[in-house]
Amino acid sequence: MIPMFLFAMLAFLYLFEIMAVQTNIRAGMQYAGKMYAKDAYLSPFVNTGKLQSDIQEEIGIERLDRSLILGGASGIDCGNSYVDLLNQILYLNISYKMEIPIPVFGRFQVEKKETMRVKGWCGYESSIPISAEQTIVYVTETGTVYHKDYHCTYLDLSIHMVPVSGLEDLRNESGGKYYPCELCGKKVSGMGVYITNYGSKYHMSMSCGRLKRKIYAVPISETAGKGACSKCGK
């Protein structure tokens, strides 16, 4: 009888935590949407990376990391969010998974999705003839191609540290060598440097500006001059 009572109490605790996570996510989405709306007149496009960081900021990374969300703060995916440029409306689409450990039965994963619409504070109606149903692709500030998959390996920097001693013989996923970053890699010191799987530079600092990338979700009609990514753009 006592084990069943404890099992019921545990189920109630998980239920309350699931509800709390959903409430926190919605609050984070409202904050992220407000931040987008405030700056919409400067740039009509959505930066999905900033959406994620705004949600993390509002909820708190520590709170997310100790929640039931699989992957903690990094488990929140904003990649399907986009902007209807005709009406300046942000369609904020969030997905995440919650992992619930049940004694004896094991761990169960529950996929959750949250949606929200936010009107940009632009003060006028845009005349750009773009429909909300148009294909949304992803671009970077300096990139020359567009991506159809937000999780494309060319967009994912996949930063990791490697020993300096073996750097000369190391090759990236494309078979190329690594060269010093123009900003931080000229004076190598310490035991290791930072590289990415598809990059061609090594870095002395994780905070180097070349290791940071802003990703924008835009309609494909706004990518004139950019080619399709060889991995995900076809």
Side-chain angles (χ1 to χ4, degrees):
M1 188 68 180
I2 295 180
M4 288 299 295
F5 172 76
L6 293 177
F7 183 84
M9 289 295 296
L10 186 63
F12 275 114
L13 289 175
Y14 281 140
L15 178 62
F16 288 139
E17 173 62 7
I18 291 172
M19 294 173 61
V21 167
Q22 290 179 304
T23 300
N24 288 335
I25 291 292
R26 296 293 296 182
M29 292 173 67
Q30 289 179 346
Y31 175 78
K34 183 173 69 175
M35 291 297 101
Y36 164 78
K38 184 183 68 171
D39 297 329
Y41 75 98
L42 294 174
S43 174
F45 303 123
V46 60
N47 181 344
T48 53
K50 187 176 188 305
L51 289 178
Q52 182 171 339
S53 64
D54 284 342
I55 293 174
Q56 293 172 347
E57 177 184 342
E58 175 65 13
I59 302 174
I61 293 179
E62 182 181 352
R63 169 68 178 98
L64 289 169
D65 285 343
R66 59 182 173 82
S67 71
L68 294 175
I69 297 178
L70 188 64
S74 61
I76 301 173
D77 186 356
C78 306
N80 289 324
S81 302
Y82 66 94
V83 174
D84 172 5
L85 294 181
L86 182 63
N87 301 301
Q88 286 295 289
I89 295 177
L90 167 65
Y91 288 79
L92 186 51
N93 299 314
I94 308 298
S95 62
Y96 57 96
K97 292 181 180 180
M98 285 193 283
E99 187 174 69
I100 306 173
I102 304 295
V104 180
F105 296 100
R107 295 176 176 269
F108 296 88
Q109 292 184 5
V110 179
E111 187 170 352
K112 303 292 292 183
K113 293 183 179 181
E114 306 286 349
T115 62
M116 183 178 293
R117 292 190 300 174
V118 181
K119 179 72 168 68
W121 300 343
C122 296
Y124 67 95
E125 291 293 331
S126 173
S127 60
I128 303 175
I130 297 176
S131 65
E133 291 76 21
Q134 187 175 172
T135 301
I136 300 299
V137 295
Y138 305 95
V139 298
T140 62
E141 288 181 306
T142 58
T144 58
V145 300
Y146 63 81
H147 306 262
K148 290 186 176 180
D149 183 3
Y150 179 69
H151 299 289
C152 177
T153 53
Y154 286 149
L155 286 176
D156 183 9
L157 290 178
S158 59
I159 305 169
H160 53 277
M161 178 183 280
V162 297
V164 174
S165 58
L167 191 59
E168 186 66 26
D169 299 323
L170 199 61
R171 298 292 184 271
N172 61 26
E173 293 290 341
S174 300
K177 294 183 63 175
Y178 288 96
Y179 300 94
C181 169
E182 295 84 353
L183 295 181
C184 69
K186 294 181 180 179
K187 295 182 179 179
V188 177
S189 61
M191 299 296 293
V193 293
Y194 299 96
I195 63 170
T196 61
N197 290 344
Y198 289 90
S200 60
K201 309 292 183 181
Y202 61 81
H203 308 262
M204 290 303 302
S205 172
M206 275 281 287
S207 60
C208 176
R210 297 293 173 84
L211 281 176
K212 297 178 180 179
R213 176 177 292 170
K214 291 182 179 180
I215 302 173
Y216 297 92
V218 301
I220 195 169
S221 63
E222 295 296 312
T223 61
K226 294 182 182 293
C229 170
S230 59
K231 270 185 171 290
C232 68
K234 297 180 180 180

